[in-house]
Amino acid sequence: MEKYVLAIDQGTTSTRAIVFDKDQKVIKVAQKEITNFFPQPGWVEQDANEIWLSTLAVIAQIFDGYEIKPEQIVSVGITNQRETTVVWDKKTGLPVYHAIVWQSRQTSDIVNKLKEEGHEPFIKEKTGLVLDPYFSASKIKWIRDNVKGVKENPDLLFGTIDTFLLWKFTCGEVHATDVTNASRTLLFNIHTLNWDKELLDLFEIPETMLPEIKDTSGVFGYIDPRHFFNQSVPITAMVGDQQAALFGESCFEKSNVKNTYGTGGFILINTGDEAIISKYGLLSTVAWKIKDEVKYALEGSIFVSGSLIQWLRDEMKFFMEAKDSEELARSVKDSGGVIVVPAFTGLGAPYWNDKCKGAIFGLTRGTSRGHLARACIEAMAYQSKDLIKVMEEDLQEKIGFIKVDGGASVNKLLVQFQSDILEIPVVKPLVAESTALGAARLSGLAVDFYKSEDFKDDEVEHYEPQMDHEEVQKLYGRWQAAVKATQEF
Ligand code: ADP
């Protein structure tokens, strides 16, 4: 009977279960959407119980039809939307409030107060992060400050989604997380790899609420047979989604980079044994810890990437489907001098300007929908170049090539332009499911189902830069001028 590894990919919009075989090929995928609640402008919440039930539902879908049987699963790996915060009562198993999602800005008052008090530099030094509502600490504090009865209750536990699912799967036996998820809480010291007493005091969070921190790959606990069709399967990996993608894309060596073009964009570079504190507002984070070996990464995020294409589709009505953007953009030979700066929600690293709004430059009477579509695709690549450049500065070295994944990486025009404008090769691996693959690899590794030698790059597309250097400089110079003008407007 063939054996498999099951990856659970609990994302912001959906929960997926993906079965991988010994050759790391996808055998079956099941998916269920989850609800997002927007109780007030800028607030984003989810129901942790719904997330748990969606996880059970996708597992059931995997075994539906009996092609795959529960006893064929050797281990489970969990990868998850990071930072999203759940607080629950260990006696009842019930969350005391909705899960506060990473995107939610409801804790900005807490964060601004701490900023004013001058705490940011020491927080950055310890955690590698910036002081921002994005991370878990202020969300826990918010729940403690705002939900009735919470401060007095000694039975409360905190977890990111990985931790909550593990606790549920083990029927309350195991309360643990891994270093990658811990490193996104603002409570974790990335140098000592432990919860930091000073940070806990600052956010007024009792240590008793916090999960035990474990390696990324290793036994976390065993799924109670009642939740897995009478099988007691080990959970042997827990890993944040972007770190999972870095592992899934085989970025094992120092300076390996992956660029995910999803709704937003995430670029991570492996920085080896060193946690580098960025001069440009990039985040320093744990990439993974396996058998006492820790790897770090620098991370930059782009707020608007593939969602720029959604905007063209839904608001501008340029096409019916995102994939049609490529054909429209190819209807013209270049963007006709048009530059789109997609600062819909301000600009992230390296600009960190949350006030500015988007802008379009270089319009003429002859500007067509094709030019605009092309300029939007190019903007996705320019934003990546901005981040790669500061990564090179922080690391004091030149990046040789990058790997790409995510929904928009099927756009060949985008990936070619990315290679042109970066003037380095861009590689797109065979398995599109790099996040789930990363979790499956880390899980299989812990039970000797996979060996690290098995983790090779299956290249499928390879892009070489084709633009001459002068043209690159001219175009990128215009992009930089446009970003400057956008911020001054
Ligand atoms: P997420 O994981 O963030 O939900 P995905 O990785 O599924 O996102 O990518 C979806 C995004 O990719 C959408 O914003 C969509 O507009 C964009 N996208 C999908 N196909 C294309 C395409 N062919 N060209 C450009 N963008 C695309």
Side-chain angles (χ1 to χ4, degrees):
M1 195 166 45
E2 204 172 343
K3 298 285 183 190
Y4 303 117
V5 170
L6 176 70
I8 307 279
D9 179 0
Q10 205 303 301
T12 315
T13 48
S14 71
T15 305
R16 288 140 61 79
I18 300 163
V19 177
F20 288 88
D21 70 4
K22 188 90 182 159
D23 297 327
Q24 301 165 61
K25 297 269 173 311
V26 173
I27 298 298
K28 190 166 178 184
V29 181
Q31 177 162 354
K32 194 163 182 359
E33 302 288 310
I34 54 169
T35 319
N36 277 279
F37 302 96
F38 307 103
Q40 292 194 31
W43 296 29
V44 188
E45 298 180 353
Q46 291 173 351
D47 178 350
N49 268 330
E50 184 189 338
I51 292 177
W52 163 238
L53 293 174
S54 73
T55 308
L56 292 178
V58 289
I59 292 173
Q61 274 180 50
I62 289 290
F63 299 126
D64 194 26
Y66 302 102
E67 318 113 62
I68 300 172
K69 298 185 186 63
E71 54 268 35
Q72 287 176 279
I73 306 296
V74 291
S75 65
V76 170
I78 298 175
T79 180
N80 55 291
Q81 51 168 321
R82 303 171 303 171
E83 300 103 7
T84 297
T85 296
V86 188
V87 174
W88 70 98
D89 187 319
K90 65 180 171 200
K91 290 226 168 101
T92 63
L94 289 175
V96 297
Y97 187 75
H98 275 162
I100 304 185
V101 178
W102 55 275
Q103 294 152 316
S104 192
R105 308 302 290 177
Q106 73 214 68
T107 62
S108 50
D109 286 351
I110 297 174
V111 167
N112 288 341
K113 185 162 170 282
L114 293 173
K115 271 192 186 154
E116 279 161 24
E117 289 168 6
H119 296 295
E120 183 152 30
F122 100 91
I123 292 183
K124 187 164 188 192
E125 193 48 51
K126 282 178 185 247
T127 64
L129 307 174
V130 292
L131 182 50
D132 193 273
Y134 195 96
F135 307 103
S136 313
S138 65
K139 300 182 197 290
I140 308 173
K141 180 167 167 54
W142 189 94
I143 291 174
R144 278 177 48 81
D145 290 351
N146 290 278
V147 181
K148 213 166 149 252
V150 163
K151 257 198 182 134
E152 303 76 43
N153 187 341
D155 294 323
L156 297 188
L157 300 178
F158 151 74
T160 38
I161 298 297
D162 54 313
T163 303
F164 184 67
L165 293 181
L166 175 70
W167 194 85
K168 285 291 206 182
F169 271 130
T170 60
C171 287
E173 285 287 311
V174 188
H175 182 224
T177 189
D178 94 295
V179 282
T180 67
N181 278 295
S183 77
R184 315 296 296 187
T185 57
L186 269 187
L187 300 171
F188 177 79
N189 187 317
I190 56 168
H191 310 289
T192 64
L193 301 177
N194 258 313
W195 301 122
D196 189 284
K197 189 92 189 54
E198 231 177 320
L199 294 170
L200 289 175
D201 288 347
L202 187 68
F203 287 97
E204 297 168 0
I205 295 168
E207 202 163 348
T208 51
M209 285 181 76
L210 299 182
E212 184 192 341
I213 301 164
K214 297 190 171 219
D215 288 5
T216 313
S217 175
V219 178
F220 283 82
Y222 288 80
I223 298 184
D224 188 289
R226 282 169 290 181
H227 293 319
F228 210 86
F229 304 92
N230 268 341
Q231 298 296 312
S232 177
V233 183
I235 295 175
T236 55
M238 300 216 296
V239 57
D241 54 6
Q242 297 308 320
Q243 286 94 331
L246 193 69
F247 201 86
E249 288 237 32
S250 308
C251 291
F252 305 127
E253 304 295 328
K254 188 163 177 274
S255 306
N256 286 171
V257 185
K258 73 97 194 167
N259 185 354
T260 301
Y261 303 99
T263 314
F266 286 94
I267 305 188
L268 268 76
I269 181 165
N270 183 327
T271 61
D273 308 331
E274 211 183 339
I276 293 173
I277 303 298
S278 171
K279 291 197 223 43
Y280 303 93
L282 301 174
L283 307 175
S284 191
T285 202
V286 179
W288 50 78
K289 183 171 176 230
I290 304 170
K291 293 201 179 106
D292 291 328
E293 199 184 43
V294 189
K295 296 287 177 214
Y296 291 93
L298 265 185
E299 170 176 330
S301 44
I302 296 160
F303 300 150
V304 176
S305 188
S307 54
L308 192 54
I309 304 300
Q310 287 168 4
W311 174 74
L312 287 182
R313 183 193 62 194
D314 302 340
E315 255 58 55
M316 299 297 109
K317 313 277 183 214
F318 274 19
F319 35 75
M320 296 294 284
E321 286 184 70
K323 70 172 171 42
D324 302 333
S325 61
E326 183 168 348
E327 198 186 325
L328 180 59
R330 283 190 191 277
S331 69
V332 289
K333 70 175 195 325
D334 55 34
S335 75
V338 176
I339 295 201
V340 175
V341 181
F344 294 159
T345 51
L347 288 166
Y351 307 106
W352 292 112
N353 185 330
D354 58 7
K355 305 251 159 16
C356 67
K357 301 279 185 297
I360 302 177
F361 296 85
L363 297 176
T364 65
R365 177 62 185 81
T367 300
S368 67
R369 293 183 309 141
H371 292 122
L372 278 170
R374 195 149 184 143
C376 284
I377 289 169
E378 291 178 357
M380 293 164 70
Y382 285 131
Q383 294 185 99
S384 293
K385 173 149 173 149
D386 288 344
L387 287 179
I388 297 281
K389 269 184 50 178
V390 293
M391 283 178 172
E392 290 183 330
E393 291 280 323
D394 275 333
L395 264 80
Q396 289 293 306
E397 67 177 61
K398 185 96 183 71
I399 289 164
F401 67 103
I402 68 165
K403 294 180 176 176
V404 294
D405 64 9
S409 67
V410 298
N411 189 317
K412 293 193 161 75
L413 184 76
L414 164 67
V415 185
Q416 181 59 54
F417 188 74
Q418 184 72 83
S419 174
D420 288 346
I421 210 75
L422 285 171
E423 300 181 271
I424 54 173
V426 176
V427 171
K428 187 165 175 287
L430 185 65
V431 176
E433 301 281 359
S434 55
T435 306
L437 176 63
R441 282 177 166 185
L442 287 158
S443 172
L445 200 57
V447 290
D448 288 331
F449 185 69
Y450 298 134
K451 302 252 174 299
S452 44
E453 306 86 80
D454 301 337
F455 302 154
K456 298 209 184 63
D457 265 339
D458 280 323
E459 264 183 39
V460 64
E461 285 167 18
H462 193 103
Y463 295 80
E464 286 291 330
Q466 287 172 358
M467 202 179 274
D468 64 59
H469 183 61
E470 257 172 44
E471 180 69 5
V472 172
Q473 279 188 312
K474 192 181 101 198
L475 290 179
Y476 190 61
R478 295 188 73 239
W479 162 259
Q480 287 176 307
V483 171
K484 188 159 177 280
T486 302
Q487 295 192 82
E488 283 162 0
F489 179 72

PDB file of all heavy atoms in Angstrom, residues 171-185:
ATOM      1  N   CYS A 171      -6.836  16.895  21.012  1.00  0.00           N
ATOM      2  CA  CYS A 171      -7.861  16.999  22.068  1.00  0.00           C
ATOM      3  C   CYS A 171      -7.313  17.667  23.327  1.00  0.00           C
ATOM      4  O   CYS A 171      -7.522  17.189  24.458  1.00  0.00           O
ATOM      5  CB  CYS A 171      -8.436  15.625  22.396  1.00  0.00           C
ATOM      6  SG  CYS A 171      -9.505  15.019  21.104  1.00  0.00           S
ATOM      7  N   GLY A 172      -6.570  18.749  23.135  1.00  0.00           N
ATOM      8  CA  GLY A 172      -6.101  19.525  24.275  1.00  0.00           C
ATOM      9  C   GLY A 172      -4.841  18.977  24.938  1.00  0.00           C
ATOM     10  O   GLY A 172      -4.395  19.500  25.956  1.00  0.00           O
ATOM     11  N   GLU A 173      -4.229  17.944  24.349  1.00  0.00           N
ATOM     12  CA  GLU A 173      -3.020  17.354  24.938  1.00  0.00           C
ATOM     13  C   GLU A 173      -1.794  18.242  24.741  1.00  0.00           C
ATOM     14  O   GLU A 173      -0.940  18.337  25.609  1.00  0.00           O
ATOM     15  CB  GLU A 173      -2.728  15.993  24.283  1.00  0.00           C
ATOM     16  CG  GLU A 173      -3.626  14.871  24.723  1.00  0.00           C
ATOM     17  CD  GLU A 173      -3.292  14.410  26.139  1.00  0.00           C
ATOM     18  OE1 GLU A 173      -2.110  14.182  26.396  1.00  0.00           O
ATOM     19  OE2 GLU A 173      -4.225  14.308  26.956  1.00  0.00           O
ATOM     20  N   VAL A 174      -1.685  18.841  23.560  1.00  0.00           N
ATOM     21  CA  VAL A 174      -0.444  19.557  23.239  1.00  0.00           C
ATOM     22  C   VAL A 174      -0.730  21.017  22.909  1.00  0.00           C
ATOM     23  O   VAL A 174      -1.542  21.323  22.032  1.00  0.00           O
ATOM     24  CB  VAL A 174       0.292  18.898  22.034  1.00  0.00           C
ATOM     25  CG1 VAL A 174       1.663  19.531  21.848  1.00  0.00           C
ATOM     26  CG2 VAL A 174       0.417  17.397  22.210  1.00  0.00           C
ATOM     27  N   HIS A 175      -0.028  21.901  23.614  1.00  0.00           N
ATOM     28  CA  HIS A 175      -0.115  23.339  23.362  1.00  0.00           C
ATOM     29  C   HIS A 175       1.280  23.786  22.944  1.00  0.00           C
ATOM     30  O   HIS A 175       2.140  24.055  23.778  1.00  0.00           O
ATOM     31  CB  HIS A 175      -0.583  24.055  24.633  1.00  0.00           C
ATOM     32  CG  HIS A 175      -0.757  25.532  24.452  1.00  0.00           C
ATOM     33  ND1 HIS A 175      -0.326  26.457  25.365  1.00  0.00           N
ATOM     34  CD2 HIS A 175      -1.318  26.249  23.439  1.00  0.00           C
ATOM     35  CE1 HIS A 175      -0.614  27.672  24.927  1.00  0.00           C
ATOM     36  NE2 HIS A 175      -1.217  27.570  23.770  1.00  0.00           N
ATOM     37  N   ALA A 176       1.524  23.810  21.630  1.00  0.00           N
ATOM     38  CA  ALA A 176       2.877  24.096  21.149  1.00  0.00           C
ATOM     39  C   ALA A 176       2.825  24.834  19.821  1.00  0.00           C
ATOM     40  O   ALA A 176       1.799  24.839  19.123  1.00  0.00           O
ATOM     41  CB  ALA A 176       3.660  22.790  20.980  1.00  0.00           C
ATOM     42  N   THR A 177       3.943  25.478  19.498  1.00  0.00           N
ATOM     43  CA  THR A 177       4.089  26.127  18.201  1.00  0.00           C
ATOM     44  C   THR A 177       5.494  25.825  17.700  1.00  0.00           C
ATOM     45  O   THR A 177       6.245  25.106  18.352  1.00  0.00           O
ATOM     46  CB  THR A 177       3.829  27.645  18.312  1.00  0.00           C
ATOM     47  OG1 THR A 177       3.773  28.211  17.003  1.00  0.00           O
ATOM     48  CG2 THR A 177       4.929  28.360  19.109  1.00  0.00           C
ATOM     49  N   ASP A 178       5.835  26.352  16.545  1.00  0.00           N
ATOM     50  CA  ASP A 178       7.216  26.168  16.064  1.00  0.00           C
ATOM     51  C   ASP A 178       7.895  27.535  15.998  1.00  0.00           C
ATOM     52  O   ASP A 178       7.231  28.573  16.107  1.00  0.00           O
ATOM     53  CB  ASP A 178       7.229  25.485  14.689  1.00  0.00           C
ATOM     54  CG  ASP A 178       7.279  26.500  13.571  1.00  0.00           C
ATOM     55  OD1 ASP A 178       6.302  27.266  13.438  1.00  0.00           O
ATOM     56  OD2 ASP A 178       8.295  26.574  12.860  1.00  0.00           O
ATOM     57  N   VAL A 179       9.192  27.529  15.794  1.00  0.00           N
ATOM     58  CA  VAL A 179       9.957  28.779  15.810  1.00  0.00           C
ATOM     59  C   VAL A 179       9.532  29.773  14.730  1.00  0.00           C
ATOM     60  O   VAL A 179       9.595  30.982  14.947  1.00  0.00           O
ATOM     61  CB  VAL A 179      11.478  28.529  15.660  1.00  0.00           C
ATOM     62  CG1 VAL A 179      12.089  28.063  16.959  1.00  0.00           C
ATOM     63  CG2 VAL A 179      11.775  27.551  14.545  1.00  0.00           C
ATOM     64  N   THR A 180       9.095  29.284  13.576  1.00  0.00           N
ATOM     65  CA  THR A 180       8.733  30.234  12.500  1.00  0.00           C
ATOM     66  C   THR A 180       7.486  31.012  12.880  1.00  0.00           C
ATOM     67  O   THR A 180       7.406  32.221  12.663  1.00  0.00           O
ATOM     68  CB  THR A 180       8.504  29.531  11.143  1.00  0.00           C
ATOM     69  OG1 THR A 180       7.347  28.701  11.224  1.00  0.00           O
ATOM     70  CG2 THR A 180       9.700  28.708  10.731  1.00  0.00           C
ATOM     71  N   ASN A 181       6.508  30.300  13.437  1.00  0.00           N
ATOM     72  CA  ASN A 181       5.287  30.996  13.863  1.00  0.00           C
ATOM     73  C   ASN A 181       5.543  31.877  15.075  1.00  0.00           C
ATOM     74  O   ASN A 181       5.035  32.986  15.155  1.00  0.00           O
ATOM     75  CB  ASN A 181       4.185  29.973  14.151  1.00  0.00           C
ATOM     76  CG  ASN A 181       3.472  29.528  12.886  1.00  0.00           C
ATOM     77  OD1 ASN A 181       2.807  30.325  12.224  1.00  0.00           O
ATOM     78  ND2 ASN A 181       3.646  28.277  12.511  1.00  0.00           N
ATOM     79  N   ALA A 182       6.366  31.364  16.014  1.00  0.00           N
ATOM     80  CA  ALA A 182       6.690  32.165  17.201  1.00  0.00           C
ATOM     81  C   ALA A 182       7.378  33.468  16.796  1.00  0.00           C
ATOM     82  O   ALA A 182       7.146  34.518  17.402  1.00  0.00           O
ATOM     83  CB  ALA A 182       7.580  31.363  18.141  1.00  0.00           C
ATOM     84  N   SER A 183       8.173  33.399  15.728  1.00  0.00           N
ATOM     85  CA  SER A 183       8.953  34.577  15.349  1.00  0.00           C
ATOM     86  C   SER A 183       8.097  35.682  14.732  1.00  0.00           C
ATOM     87  O   SER A 183       8.596  36.740  14.374  1.00  0.00           O
ATOM     88  CB  SER A 183      10.108  34.200  14.411  1.00  0.00           C
ATOM     89  OG  SER A 183       9.637  33.969  13.106  1.00  0.00           O
ATOM     90  N   ARG A 184       6.783  35.461  14.613  1.00  0.00           N
ATOM     91  CA  ARG A 184       5.877  36.481  14.071  1.00  0.00           C
ATOM     92  C   ARG A 184       4.969  37.065  15.151  1.00  0.00           C
ATOM     93  O   ARG A 184       3.986  37.724  14.836  1.00  0.00           O
ATOM     94  CB  ARG A 184       4.992  35.879  12.965  1.00  0.00           C
ATOM     95  CG  ARG A 184       5.729  35.022  11.997  1.00  0.00           C
ATOM     96  CD  ARG A 184       6.750  35.773  11.209  1.00  0.00           C
ATOM     97  NE  ARG A 184       6.124  36.773  10.377  1.00  0.00           N
ATOM     98  CZ  ARG A 184       6.772  37.496   9.467  1.00  0.00           C
ATOM     99  NH1 ARG A 184       8.074  37.340   9.303  1.00  0.00           N
ATOM    100  NH2 ARG A 184       6.138  38.398   8.738  1.00  0.00           N
ATOM    101  N   THR A 185       5.266  36.814  16.405  1.00  0.00           N
ATOM    102  CA  THR A 185       4.351  37.257  17.462  1.00  0.00           C
ATOM    103  C   THR A 185       4.735  38.595  18.075  1.00  0.00           C
ATOM    104  O   THR A 185       3.912  39.224  18.732  1.00  0.00           O
ATOM    105  CB  THR A 185       4.312  36.218  18.604  1.00  0.00           C
ATOM    106  OG1 THR A 185       5.643  36.035  19.075  1.00  0.00           O
ATOM    107  CG2 THR A 185       3.718  34.906  18.148  1.00  0.00           C
TER     108      THR A 185
END
